[in-house]
Amino acid sequence: MNIIDYIISYIKDTKYNIGFIDGDLESILNGEPIKINWLKHSYKDRWFADPFILDITDKEIIVLIEEWYDPIQRGRISKLTIDKHTYKLKDLKVMIEADHHLSFPSIERKPDGIYIHPESSSIGKLETYKYDTTTDSFRKVGVVSKLPLTDSVCKELGGQNLMFSTKLPDANGKELGIYKWDNELKEYIIQEYYHFNDNISRMAGNFFEFKGKIYRPAQVCIKSYGDAVSIQEVSFKDEKWDFKEIRRIYSPHPDLDLGFHTFNVYKDTIVVDAIGYRRSKLCHLIRNIKSRLLRQQAKRYRK
């Protein structure tokens, strides 16, 4: 990397942070403006994304996230313990670390316990882990797909054990794969593909229910990867799936304004994430200088 490439990379380096929406699902589905209480922490060598709520107590919110850790240059699955009232980070614990990138710790709650299916598309398979509450740790229990799946969510719908996912090489495209659990093969097998008109197929979190209806959060990947969240009402009639967009949500944060790509609901608490430049003030300064130079250039041309 030459010095110019290094400077550009330094300036354009990004970060995520997670936050909690100050409001309820009804106001969100009705299109009202959203306010977010962002996580407060002092780390400079890592960032947090892909939040899934593991548990909530009277005083704390416990969240599983992708922790991007600069020294290893890849993501790992960590647990954050957050003060429920101040939104300050109280504790961070690494739960799963591998020699490959891990992200999107999708939670599946079953009668026999809690499972997660963190994305590991770089190794071409999807592994599953079970949570041990006594040791506060995750144990790998198997492989549920031998495909390079991205941001997979497992859900029992219509009496079927299903998984919804996109996959490489077109993870951010228009095609959503719907997979069904095969008891003999002990893995998810493709059942059908659903095609959208826009790049809004990739999962942005777990399904959630509200007033008898089921909703799917999806990533809008039109301008870039995860530039917004699409909330879609889900229906399955006459053996056909339908996903109707109810609302598209962009980040309201002035600095974390490049993307908004996770939306999860648990026990009336809504957690999200957003991405922006790490050095946002420097980037805004460069943008202003560039705009000024372009205006001056335009004036010269008009003369």
Side-chain angles (χ1 to χ4, degrees), residues 158 160 178 180 191-192 194 235-242:
Q160 301 183 90
I178 303 171
K180 185 178 180 180
Q191 186 178 50
E192 65 176 285
Y194 183 92
S235 64
F236 184 66
K237 296 179 181 179
D238 300 324
E239 302 298 317
K240 290 185 178 180
W241 290 96
D242 188 48

Side-chain angles (χ1 to χ4, degrees), residues 5 10 75 276 295:
D5 291 335
Y10 178 84
R295 287 196 298 269

Side-chain angles (χ1 to χ4, degrees), residues 9 15 22 55 57 84 86 90 111 126 141 145 152 162 169 177 182 198 204 214 220 236 249 273 283:
S9 176
K15 66 175 180 181
D22 187 4
D55 196 12
T57 69
K84 190 175 181 180
T86 65
K90 297 175 65 175
L126 182 66
V141 294
S145 176
S152 307
L162 303 175
D182 189 302
D198 288 323
I214 299 174
V220 178
F236 184 66
I249 311 173
D273 67 7
C283 288

Side-chain angles (χ1 to χ4, degrees), residues 47 50 72 90 110 126 132 147 211 217 229 240 263 268:
W47 46 251
D50 295 350
I72 63 174
K90 297 175 65 175
K110 293 184 176 183
L126 182 66
D132 187 333
L147 295 172
K211 291 188 175 180
V229 166
K240 290 185 178 180
F263 186 101
D268 298 323

